[in-house]
Amino acid sequence: MANVAKKVTWSSREEEQPPSQAGETTPLLNGATGRYARQVSQPNFFRIGSLSTVNLDDDTDLDAEITCPILREIPHNEKLLSLKFESLDYDNSENQLFLEEERRVVSEGFRCIEIKRWLICALIGILTGLVACFIDIVVEKLAGLKYKVIKNSIDKFTETGGLCISLMLWTAFNVLFVMIGSLMVAFLEPVAAGSGIPQIKCYLNGVKIPHVVRLKTLVVKVCGVIFSVVGGLAVGKEGPMIHSGAVIAAGISQGRSTSLKRDFKVFEIARRRTRKKKKIVDFVLNLQKSSFASPTARCVFSLSRCTDSFSIRVSLSLFFASMISTFTLNFVLSIYHCKPEELSNPGLINFGKFKSEVTKYNIHSGCFFVFLYIKGGVLSLKEIRINCLNFWIWLFLIRYLHRSILQVVEAVLVAAVTATVSFVMIYYSTDCQPLGPDSVEYPLQLFCADGEYNSMATTFFNTPEKSVRSLFHDPAGTYNPTTLSLFTVSYFFLACWTYGLTVSAGVFIPSLLIGAAWGRLFGILLAKTSSSSIWADPGKYALMGAAAQLGGIVRMTLSLTVIIVEATGNVTYGLPIMLVLMTAKIVGDYFVEGLYDLHIKLQSVPFLHWEAPATAYSHSLTARELMSTPVTCFRRVEKVGNIVDVLSDTTSTHNGFPVVDDIYDINQPGRLYGLVLRSQLIVLLKHKVFVERANSNFNQKKLKLKDFRDAYPRFPPIQSIHVSQDERECMMDLTEFMNPTPYTVPQETSFPRVFKLFRALGLRHLVVVDDHNRVVGLVTRKDLARYRLEKGGLEELHLSQT
């Protein structure tokens, strides 16, 4: 089998990578046989090493060639680590320009920067709240219109016959909305597919995901999630709000839009990768946080799911932005519901408060907690099946449905199947319940008697959020066990199939809905075995089931406890919820990873967890075995032609170049003086910052740090920079622009220590030196990510260019 030529990323199509944005060089895993030194004719700079990739010709894990002319297979193996994903520069380059600028900032300047920071917080909070309001209102209006038309059609044809027309109408609505949303995602911005949480986790982890925080991505994400939810798919609108909040945070903090080509000349100080990351860390979940019922739940969710570090400053900024976002959302929705003075809409996710008599339970009833443990474990096994089934579905989609049109067809097919399954289950359901004062919004009578409604329709004929609220608070006897059993099984498979489509969709609310249905069923069956009042209300078990289901899928514990407690307004259930979540997580982690981590692994992303793989073998690995070698280096005063040749060489995808002293022996490494980045060299070449001779009396052109910020984040490719033959003979002094204090480690440093240093500091390059401070290697993200802890121990992943 030929080497993999293409790999479907989250964007579902090949991304164009300019040479100036190429990834780091990483050696093969099979030792020195996969490395070779490229001899260089110019003796005035030190270059050894080049990129090589693993060949998949002999990979026995990959399937054989498929003869089907339509479903052409893209060979894919989750045991690969992709070289096409590159890292982000989160570490500040403390060169002379940076230090001079920092020294010029007086105390008044620091106060001005602090004021701008809080202003950015408030602005992002307002915008995220407005976007959340827009999504909520549009979904409510479109879904209400759809259900009203379908209900009138079903009521009409129930009496006259011809319910197949109602089925076709329901299917047409679903197909139309889902097709629009899928077309936008597949052809306009594929990276907007899914919930966006894996992409943002990777971005904050230090992996560049193309187009992940662009304005077009935000537009497609917002429109896509609206059409997905209204289209009746087993999805929620809360997950994609994470991605939307990240785009808003990244754009506002920069004070300009590269998509619109507009520079508003504000917040220029934040135009560096480090500050951009901080803003996204602060506000990545602002729009998601607008969904929760209080800022406390939002902060906990943000800090636990998408941030890698904790600080008081980040927490204060996050809480302040959450308060602003909450107030904006509450105020606008209160006006929309004609109650501006009440501020009665704290969040998009609000499951309502349980009645006081329902929340009571006897703490001395040990069997109550035993049942909770059992239920948490049983539900965890169900969540394991969800994650595993979704994993194999995604693997199939990556291999076969890699064309955009096929992805749209699949989304349309799922929409049609969802409508058909829902209609058929409602049609054959005999679970009729009497209409009460707090009946559902769109009750379907169908074949029930007058004054009754179809209970199965309550679960399908609503948005997922309203269905969860119904399962929590509807009185005992509203659902019979058959209805809940059929709904749980059908919605389980629909949710597994849906999460992975080329649509903007989240798994948060569908997981809660499946867990609530399963939990309520458990409570009904448990109540039949005992006459004690402790088992009287099945809504409490629906709550526990929802917590266990979502916790087992995404492996959240503390944050999910706070979210559910505040979404229901009951602290009484805090302890039982925590016990169920811990049981679900422990059981789930034993068998399979969480859903988000599985999707990151499927994309072969070099994701670094917070801790190094904990095995006895880890400490026997040293930086000498980890590092990429040989390394491309430059002198402090380098020839322009040599720099252009290195940057233009397609086999050289280095992004960091150690700066060493003069090299007299090409086989002898030089002593380290600093580190210069590819992006910095691009800017220097663009502005022609060089002199005619190394000993010239003329000073080279002076640049300011603003020149580098203006080029960020889309640095021009080296092919767009013209350098004449005469200019190639000039010299460039890198002393002023290189980072003179890069992080270094000795050759004998252990793997866990290198990992901790690299991960905690957010590095992209870690220079390995010998006892004489001579460069012997370079550790990059892929050097560390290729070691993964599996059940059999520490496993080395293969590297490929896919």
Side-chain angles (χ1 to χ4, degrees):
M1 183 178 293
N3 191 17
V4 177
K6 181 179 179 181
K7 162 87 161 53
V8 179
T9 64
W10 280 300
S11 60
S12 302
R13 67 186 179 195
E14 193 75 16
E15 297 288 351
E16 295 182 0
Q17 294 282 350
S20 60
Q21 300 294 318
E24 302 90 351
T25 295
T26 309
L28 291 179
L29 302 177
N30 55 357
T33 57
R35 305 169 184 169
Y36 60 92
R38 183 175 183 272
Q39 298 298 328
V40 185
S41 58
Q42 295 89 343
N44 51 357
F45 74 98
F46 181 60
R47 173 195 168 94
I48 42 179
S50 184
L51 174 68
S52 51
T53 60
V54 66
N55 194 306
L56 302 181
D57 292 344
D58 300 326
D59 196 338
T60 57
D61 293 334
L62 299 179
D63 294 341
E65 294 183 1
I66 303 298
T67 57
C68 177
I70 298 177
L71 296 179
R72 187 181 303 276
E73 178 188 3
I74 289 184
H76 176 76
N77 189 347
E78 64 274 11
K79 298 298 183 181
L80 293 177
L81 190 67
S82 178
L83 289 173
K84 71 177 299 181
F85 289 106
E86 58 180 285
S87 300
L88 297 170
D89 295 304
Y90 283 148
D91 181 42
N92 281 326
S93 179
E94 296 188 351
N95 51 27
Q96 294 183 18
L97 298 180
F98 177 84
L99 296 177
E100 289 174 2
E101 182 181 84
E102 292 295 315
R103 295 188 187 103
R104 287 197 300 267
V105 179
V106 294
S107 58
E108 290 79 6
F110 280 114
R111 284 196 291 268
C112 182
I113 293 175
E114 193 69 11
I115 292 174
K116 289 181 179 180
R117 186 173 71 88
W118 289 107
L119 180 62
I120 293 174
C121 293
L123 187 58
I124 294 176
I126 293 173
L127 290 179
T128 52
L130 292 176
V131 173
C133 292
F134 175 78
I135 293 176
D136 185 57
I137 293 173
V138 174
V139 167
E140 180 182 342
K141 288 293 186 182
L142 291 180
L145 177 63
K146 184 188 82 168
Y147 289 130
K148 186 179 296 184
V149 172
I150 296 174
K151 180 182 182 301
N152 293 337
S153 175
I154 292 177
D155 291 341
K156 174 184 176 182
F157 289 109
T158 300
E159 300 177 357
T160 62
L163 280 174
C164 59
I165 298 178
S166 300
L167 171 60
M168 289 188 292
L169 180 63
W170 194 344
T171 305
F173 268 117
N174 280 19
V175 167
L176 176 62
F177 286 123
V178 173
M179 181 184 294
I180 295 174
S182 182
L183 286 172
M184 294 181 65
V185 173
F187 291 97
L188 294 182
E189 197 54 81
V191 77
S195 66
I197 296 179
Q199 293 95 315
I200 298 302
K201 285 187 66 175
C202 291
Y203 188 91
L204 296 179
N205 190 261
V207 182
K208 178 182 178 183
I209 307 297
H211 302 177
V212 70
V213 289
R214 290 194 181 178
L215 179 61
K216 186 169 70 171
T217 304
L218 173 64
V219 175
V220 175
K221 198 79 177 184
V222 171
C223 297
V225 70
I226 290 174
F227 289 119
S228 299
V229 175
V230 177
L233 295 178
V235 299
K237 61 178 180 291
E238 288 70 26
M241 291 182 182
I242 298 173
H243 195 172
S244 303
V247 178
I248 294 174
I252 295 299
S253 63
Q254 301 299 292
R256 67 178 179 184
S257 172
T258 52
S259 300
L260 299 177
K261 299 181 179 180
R262 292 291 304 274
D263 191 342
F264 300 99
K265 305 296 183 182
V266 293
F267 310 139
E268 295 182 3
I269 192 66
R271 291 178 188 175
R272 68 179 72 153
R273 187 76 68 182
T274 307
R275 293 186 180 272
K276 187 174 182 179
K277 179 192 176 183
K278 288 181 179 179
K279 292 306 172 187
I280 297 179
V281 167
D282 285 355
F283 315 115
V284 63
L285 296 179
N286 263 295
L287 204 48
Q288 168 71 42
K289 298 185 298 286
S290 300
S291 306
F292 301 147
S294 83
T296 306
R298 301 165 192 174
C299 294
V300 174
F301 189 81
S302 303
L303 294 172
S304 64
R305 294 310 303 162
C306 284
T307 64
D308 299 322
S309 58
F310 174 83
S311 69
I312 298 299
R313 186 172 185 176
V314 169
S315 303
L316 289 176
S317 302
L318 184 59
F319 189 78
F320 175 74
S322 301
M323 293 294 295
I324 296 295
S325 180
T326 300
F327 178 79
T328 303
L329 176 72
N330 205 333
F331 181 71
V332 174
L333 289 183
S334 297
I335 294 177
Y336 172 73
H337 293 294
C338 302
K339 299 178 181 179
E341 70 283 353
E342 293 186 6
L343 296 178
S344 55
N345 296 273
L348 301 185
I349 299 180
N350 186 5
F351 300 129
K353 294 184 178 182
F354 285 83
K355 297 179 181 179
S356 59
E357 61 271 14
V358 174
T359 60
K360 294 179 180 179
Y361 60 88
N362 189 349
I363 195 171
H364 300 289
S365 301
C367 58
F368 182 77
F369 295 101
V370 171
F371 281 130
L372 291 180
Y373 290 134
I374 295 175
K375 187 158 70 76
V378 170
L379 288 175
S380 294
L381 298 178
K382 190 165 181 279
E383 293 139 15
I384 292 168
R385 293 195 295 271
I386 289 180
N387 288 2
C388 292
L389 182 57
N390 187 263
F391 178 84
W392 291 111
I393 290 176
W394 257 65
L395 193 59
F396 174 83
L397 299 180
I398 289 176
R399 288 185 173 182
Y400 297 102
L401 299 185
H402 51 275
R403 297 176 58 187
S404 298
I405 188 62
L406 292 179
Q407 295 168 350
V408 175
V409 170
E410 186 206 13
V412 170
L413 175 63
V414 174
V417 170
T418 302
T420 304
V421 170
S422 304
F423 186 87
V424 170
M425 295 189 66
I426 293 173
Y427 181 84
Y428 286 104
S429 174
T430 58
D431 186 6
C432 297
Q433 301 293 334
L435 283 169
D438 299 326
S439 59
V440 294
E441 188 172 358
Y442 301 103
L444 281 180
Q445 182 179 356
L446 208 58
F447 301 116
C448 295
D450 292 340
E452 295 182 341
Y453 71 97
N454 189 301
S455 182
M456 179 69 78
T458 305
T459 55
F460 278 112
F461 209 66
N462 272 308
T463 57
E465 292 89 343
K466 294 181 179 178
S467 297
V468 172
R469 189 184 182 105
S470 175
L471 290 169
F472 281 175
H473 298 288
D474 283 357
T478 303
Y479 301 91
N480 63 39
T482 304
T483 298
L484 293 175
S485 300
L486 293 175
F487 173 78
T488 302
V489 173
S490 60
Y491 205 80
F492 166 80
F493 288 104
L494 288 175
C496 289
W497 193 6
T498 302
Y499 192 73
L501 297 178
T502 309
V503 294
S504 296
V507 73
F508 196 91
I509 292 297
S511 301
L512 289 177
L513 181 54
I514 295 173
W518 176 265
R520 190 177 181 97
L521 174 62
F522 185 89
I524 293 174
L525 298 178
L526 190 61
K528 291 183 178 181
T529 65
S530 174
S531 59
S532 175
S533 60
I534 234 177
W535 324 112
D537 187 79
K540 64 177 68 174
Y541 295 98
L543 175 63
M544 301 300 167
Q549 185 73 34
L550 182 58
I553 290 177
V554 299
R555 307 295 155 79
M556 293 158 41
T557 52
L558 174 62
S559 58
L560 188 55
T561 301
V562 177
I563 291 169
I564 294 181
V565 166
E566 294 193 337
T568 56
N570 295 283
V571 182
T572 310
Y573 284 143
L575 178 60
I577 289 174
M578 187 179 301
L579 294 176
V580 171
L581 289 174
M582 290 301 299
T583 305
K585 177 175 173 57
I586 292 172
V587 176
D589 286 342
Y590 181 79
F591 292 98
V592 70
E593 297 176 275
L595 187 63
Y596 298 143
D597 293 329
L598 282 178
H599 281 248
I600 291 174
K601 181 188 293 186
L602 268 174
Q603 303 304 321
S604 303
V605 178
F607 186 88
L608 296 180
H609 294 280
W610 187 245
E611 297 289 342
T615 63
Y617 181 63
S618 297
H619 285 82
S620 63
L621 285 174
T622 62
R624 183 185 293 108
E625 287 79 31
L626 296 172
M627 65 186 184
S628 299
T629 184
V631 186
T632 302
C633 298
F634 288 121
R635 298 182 306 173
R636 284 185 293 179
V637 180
E638 188 57 78
K639 192 175 181 180
V640 173
N642 296 337
I643 297 177
V644 173
D645 291 339
V646 171
L647 299 183
S648 302
D649 189 356
T650 56
T651 64
S652 172
T653 56
H654 304 278
N655 275 279
F657 303 92
V659 180
V660 298
D661 58 2
D662 292 338
I663 303 168
Y664 303 101
D665 184 0
I666 194 171
N667 296 318
Q668 182 70 29
R671 288 188 302 164
L672 179 67
Y673 278 101
L675 185 74
V676 64
L677 303 178
R678 176 182 288 263
S679 58
Q680 294 174 319
L681 295 174
I682 290 289
V683 175
L684 295 178
L685 290 174
K686 179 182 177 181
H687 290 273
K688 301 188 182 302
V689 184
F690 34 77
V691 295
E692 294 184 3
R693 301 183 304 276
N695 57 353
S696 175
N697 294 327
F698 298 99
N699 294 326
Q700 61 183 9
K701 182 179 179 180
K702 297 289 291 184
L703 287 185
K704 296 181 179 180
L705 208 57
K706 183 179 182 300
D707 297 311
F708 293 90
R709 292 200 192 103
D710 291 340
Y712 171 83
R714 301 182 189 177
F715 297 98
I718 185 62
Q719 288 80 3
S720 66
I721 299 176
H722 175 71
V723 179
S724 65
Q725 190 61 37
D726 293 337
E727 291 173 335
R728 288 177 58 89
E729 302 300 323
C730 295
M731 308 298 294
M732 181 184 295
D733 189 354
L734 304 177
T735 306
E736 186 179 6
F737 310 102
M738 69 178 185
N739 181 7
T741 56
Y743 291 100
T744 62
V745 291
Q747 300 180 78
E748 302 303 323
T749 308
S750 65
F751 174 39
R753 195 170 186 85
V754 172
F755 192 101
K756 183 182 296 184
L757 180 64
F758 193 96
R759 186 70 179 86
L761 297 176
L763 303 181
R764 186 174 186 178
H765 313 94
L766 184 60
V767 185
V768 182
V769 297
D770 60 11
D771 297 337
H772 301 285
N773 199 37
R774 293 178 299 195
V775 179
V776 295
L778 198 68
V779 175
T780 63
R781 168 177 295 272
K782 299 179 184 68
D783 296 317
L784 301 175
R786 63 192 173 114
Y787 292 96
R788 180 184 297 171
L789 183 62
E790 299 291 345
K791 291 188 180 299
L794 197 63
E795 181 183 35
E796 295 184 42
L797 303 182
H798 294 290
L799 305 177
S800 79
Q801 277 282 26
T802 59

